Amino acid sequence: MTEPSILHQTVEWALLVKPHGMPTAPLTEGEKGTLLEWYLERQPETRSVSGKKPIEHGLLHRLDTGTEGLVLVARTQGAYDALYTSQQAGLIRKTYVAFCTPRAGIMLPGSETLPLSIQSRFRSFGPKGREVRPIFSHMRGYEEAKTEYETIIEKAKINAETRLAEIVCSLTKGYRHQVRAHLAWLGFPIEGDLLYGTAVEGDCNQKKDIPLQLYAPGISFPDPASGRTAVFSLPLPNRKNR
C-alpha cells in the first residue's frame, strides 16, 4: 500500500489522497492506520472540529477502504459548517473512474445515451449487512428506504488492451458502496470487487490479488473562504495489478 498524501491545503480545508486498502475514518478514537488519523497526527488542531460524528472531526465524506482517491477535510468549524451545508445542497461533486468487466451479453451505454443517470434507494443485504442492494420505485422496501441516490455515468469505453470497460461516474450525494452497487446492477461489476463481482468461473473480479479498481480522482466544491468553486483532479488512473 502506498502512503497517503496532502494534495492541497488552505487555512480552511485540506484535500487528501487516500491509497487503496486504507480505511478513511476510525471506528474508535485514536485508531491507527486510517486516513483521518494520519492527517490528525500531522494537523492536530483539526481535532477541535466537530464533524457529522464526534470521531470524524472535519471529515466531509468517506471512500470505501478499497477505493483510492480524494477526500475533503475541513480544518476549522466554520469551514466544516459551510462545506456540510454545500454538501447537503448537492454542491460538492465527486468524480469516480471504474475498471469493469461487463457481464455476458451486456453492452456499454452508447455515447448518444450519455450522460446516463441511475437513481435508486438502498437496503442492506447479506450477512451482517455487508452489502447493499439498489431499490427502485416498483420494488418492495422502496418507501421505507426514503432517500434517493443518483450515480451519473459521464463516459464509457472499452480499453483495447485490457478489454475492460472504463467508466467515469459522478455523484453529489453518496451512500455506502453506491458506485459499486449501481454499476454491478447495470451489468458492469468493478474488477477486484469481491462483494459485487460475478461468480462466473474464471471471472477476474474474483481474483483476490487485484485491488478494487475504483478511483475517486476528481472533486469540486464551493470554497468557504472565497465562495468560488474549487476544482481538483488527479491524473486519470491506470488499472493496478496488485
Side-chain angles (χ1 to χ4, degrees), residues 47-100:
R47 293 186 188 275
S48 65
V49 181
S50 297
K52 189 174 182 180
K53 297 178 181 178
I55 198 172
E56 294 185 354
H57 301 286
L59 188 68
L60 269 302
H61 63 100
R62 294 169 175 253
L63 294 178
D64 291 345
T65 297
T67 304
E68 180 175 290
L70 298 176
V71 175
L72 181 61
V73 177
R75 301 186 65 199
T76 68
Q77 193 63 52
Y80 178 84
D81 294 342
L83 287 167
Y84 182 76
T85 298
S86 295
Q87 188 175 56
Q88 295 301 104
L91 299 178
I92 298 180
R93 179 168 294 276
K94 291 158 282 184
T95 301
Y96 291 79
V97 177
F99 295 85
C100 308

Side-chain angles (χ1 to χ4, degrees), residues 93 116-122 147-153 169-175 178-179 182:
R93 179 168 294 276
L116 175 65
S117 171
I118 309 171
Q119 298 183 51
S120 78
R121 300 176 185 184
F122 285 97
T147 304
E148 200 85 9
Y149 294 89
E150 180 183 39
T151 301
I152 299 175
I153 296 180
C169 304
S170 66
L171 56 86
T172 57
K173 179 169 57 177
Y175 191 84
Q178 177 177 327
V179 173
H182 271 165

